[in-house]
């Protein structure tokens, strides 16, 4: 039953039998047979079928909620038993919005020092993708904004208040200023994150608050790409100061406070709320709380 529920979750996520089978490492007939067997066991039709996958039935949507819960509990049980036998080990899957990538080592490094048998993978995605990945059990935790947009049923640990700065080359536009306004920033050549990023939606909102519109001449979903263009002296960007400093080129750029308004936005670690957490997620949340108590500049 657990295997069949895992197959069902993969099918619901991929919305395509062949892609789901490929992800699971099984044949498409094996997947189809497992879904049929699950339907027979439960006595309901889960999937609308035609020449292709046509979505889940209402019963399928409800079973999907149960499947995620049951599979999540089964994974927690396996991890607890492994931790009881061998100590904390395994793999943690993290996802982070681009502006939080610089803080990831502040969690992973001390965690790995305490638990050397734990490995990590880190994805850079947008905030909506983090929630989807959590819901589909594809990641264990995410670093994202805690305000502005609904998070759903998650446990969160606030880590840092993001404050925006104009990042410009030492000889770039407005480099001689101690602070600038959002209206002034709108008049310089900007490179910004793509519109699917919550950071960009927040920035657009602050421009709209003062009656202007940002028209960047370059967009990317990578902070490295943005910072590289700032260093040419032809572009400026808008980033949290700690992100800009993490690239290590303080002698080449300036971070200038943006005021009028001067907002801040809370970011932190989120994990799907469940009791109990897996040992790995529980230890990760503990590490995040230690970091929060220390304060993150």
């Amino acid at each position: 039953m657990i295997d069949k529920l895992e197959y069902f979750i993969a099918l619901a996520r991929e919305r395509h039998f062949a892609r789901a089978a490929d992800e699971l490492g099984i044949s498409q007939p094996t997947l189809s047979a497992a879904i049929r067997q699950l339907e027979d066991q439960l006595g309901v039709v889960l999937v609308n079928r035609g020449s292709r996958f046509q979505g889940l039935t209402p019963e399928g949507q409800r079973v999907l909620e149960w499947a995620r819960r049951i599979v999540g509990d089964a994974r927690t049980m396996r991890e607890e038993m492994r931790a009881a036998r061998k100590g904390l080990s395994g793999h943690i899957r993290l996802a982070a919005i681009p502006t939080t990538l610089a803080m990831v080592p502040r969690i992973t490094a001390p965690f790995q020092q305490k638990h050397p048998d734990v490995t990590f993978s880190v994805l850079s995605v947008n905030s909506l993708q983090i929630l989807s990945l959590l819901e589909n059990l594809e990641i264990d935790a995410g670093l994202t904004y805690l305000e502005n947009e609904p998070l759903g049923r998650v446990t969160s640990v606030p880590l840092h208040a993001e404050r925006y700065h104009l990042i410009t080359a030492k000889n770039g536009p407005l480099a001689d200023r101690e602070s600038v306004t959002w209206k002034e920033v709108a008049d310089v050549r900007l490179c910004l994150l793509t519109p699917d990023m919550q950071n960009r939606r927040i920035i657009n909102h602050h421009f709209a608050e003062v009656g202007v519109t940002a028209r960047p001449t370059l967009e990317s979903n990578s902070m490295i790409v943005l910072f590289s263009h700032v260093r040419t002296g032809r572009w400026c960007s808008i980033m949290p100061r700690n992100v800009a400093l993490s690239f290590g080129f303080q002698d080449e750029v300036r971070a200038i406070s943006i005021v009028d308004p001067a907002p801040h936005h809370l970011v932190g670690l989120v994990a799907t709320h469940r009791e109990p957490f897996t040992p790995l997620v529980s230890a990760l949340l503990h590490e995040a709380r230690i970091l929060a108590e220390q304060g993150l500049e």
Side-chain angles (χ1 to χ4, degrees):
M1 175 67 82
I2 298 295
D3 288 344
K4 290 169 189 170
L5 293 175
E6 295 228 29
Y7 293 175
F8 181 58
I9 291 171
L11 177 61
R13 180 170 61 244
E14 295 296 329
R15 302 185 63 79
H16 192 279
F17 275 93
R19 286 200 301 268
D22 185 60
E23 181 199 319
L24 292 164
I26 61 176
S27 68
Q28 187 172 335
T30 298
L31 173 61
S32 297
I35 299 301
R36 292 280 189 192
Q37 290 167 10
L38 183 60
E39 290 177 323
D40 290 343
Q41 284 179 280
L42 297 175
V44 294
V45 176
L46 302 176
V47 179
N48 291 314
R49 298 174 178 84
S51 58
R52 68 177 83 181
F53 178 88
Q54 295 180 348
L56 302 181
T57 64
E59 294 81 6
Q61 291 287 355
R62 185 68 181 126
V63 169
L64 179 60
E65 295 177 16
W66 277 103
R68 288 168 174 160
R69 190 180 311 172
I70 292 167
V71 169
D73 286 344
R75 291 180 181 177
T76 300
M77 179 182 66
R78 286 195 293 265
E79 279 196 26
E80 281 198 5
M81 295 307 99
R82 185 177 62 216
R85 293 194 317 270
K86 302 178 180 178
L88 203 61
S89 63
H91 186 75
I92 295 178
R93 303 159 301 167
L94 285 174
I97 58 174
T99 58
T100 64
L101 287 170
M103 74 171 67
V104 172
R106 299 286 297 274
I107 297 175
T108 54
F111 186 101
Q112 215 276 330
Q113 186 174 15
K114 295 173 185 174
H115 310 290
D117 293 329
V118 175
T119 59
F120 289 89
S121 57
V122 182
L123 301 175
S124 176
V125 296
N126 65 43
S127 57
L128 294 178
Q129 287 172 315
I130 286 177
L131 299 182
S132 175
L133 292 168
L134 281 173
E135 186 178 64
N136 286 315
L137 307 179
E138 293 178 88
I139 59 172
D140 300 296
L143 283 160
T144 187
Y145 292 100
L146 303 183
E147 305 165 322
N148 307 303
E149 295 180 3
L151 286 175
R153 193 165 179 265
V154 300
T155 294
S156 62
V157 179
L159 292 176
H160 176 64
E162 213 175 62
R163 290 177 172 82
Y164 295 122
H165 288 67
L166 178 71
I167 309 302
T168 184
K170 279 292 178 69
N171 59 348
L174 305 175
D176 60 338
R177 300 282 296 277
E178 292 301 319
S179 65
V180 292
T181 66
W182 287 92
K183 282 189 176 181
E184 291 173 316
V185 170
D187 291 330
V188 302
R189 183 185 290 108
L190 290 172
C191 56
L192 298 175
L193 287 173
T194 49
D196 62 309
M197 297 291 177
Q198 190 177 163
N199 167 272
R200 175 64 183 281
R201 295 194 290 274
I202 291 171
I203 287 172
N204 286 347
H205 172 73
H206 291 314
F207 278 126
E209 283 183 311
V210 296
V212 297
T213 301
R215 294 183 174 84
T217 58
L218 186 145
E219 296 176 328
S220 175
N221 63 359
S222 166
M223 300 300 288
I224 294 175
V225 170
L226 299 185
F227 193 81
S228 298
H229 282 80
V230 169
R231 290 180 63 207
T232 68
R234 290 188 54 79
W235 280 271
C236 299
S237 190
I238 300 171
M239 300 180 187
R241 183 173 179 273
N242 66 305
V243 173
L245 296 182
S246 71
F247 290 103
F249 295 98
Q250 292 91 324
D251 293 337
E252 298 181 34
V253 300
R254 287 206 64 215
I256 302 167
S257 297
I258 305 177
V259 297
D260 193 23
H264 63 271
H265 299 277
L266 201 60
V267 297
L269 185 78
V270 296
T272 301
H273 181 77
R274 63 183 314 110
E275 291 293 344
F277 288 107
T278 68
L280 287 174
V281 171
S282 181
L284 187 70
L285 290 168
H286 176 70
E287 201 62 49
R289 293 185 182 106
I290 291 174
L291 180 60
E293 290 173 3
Q294 293 172 346
L296 182 63
E297 293 300 330

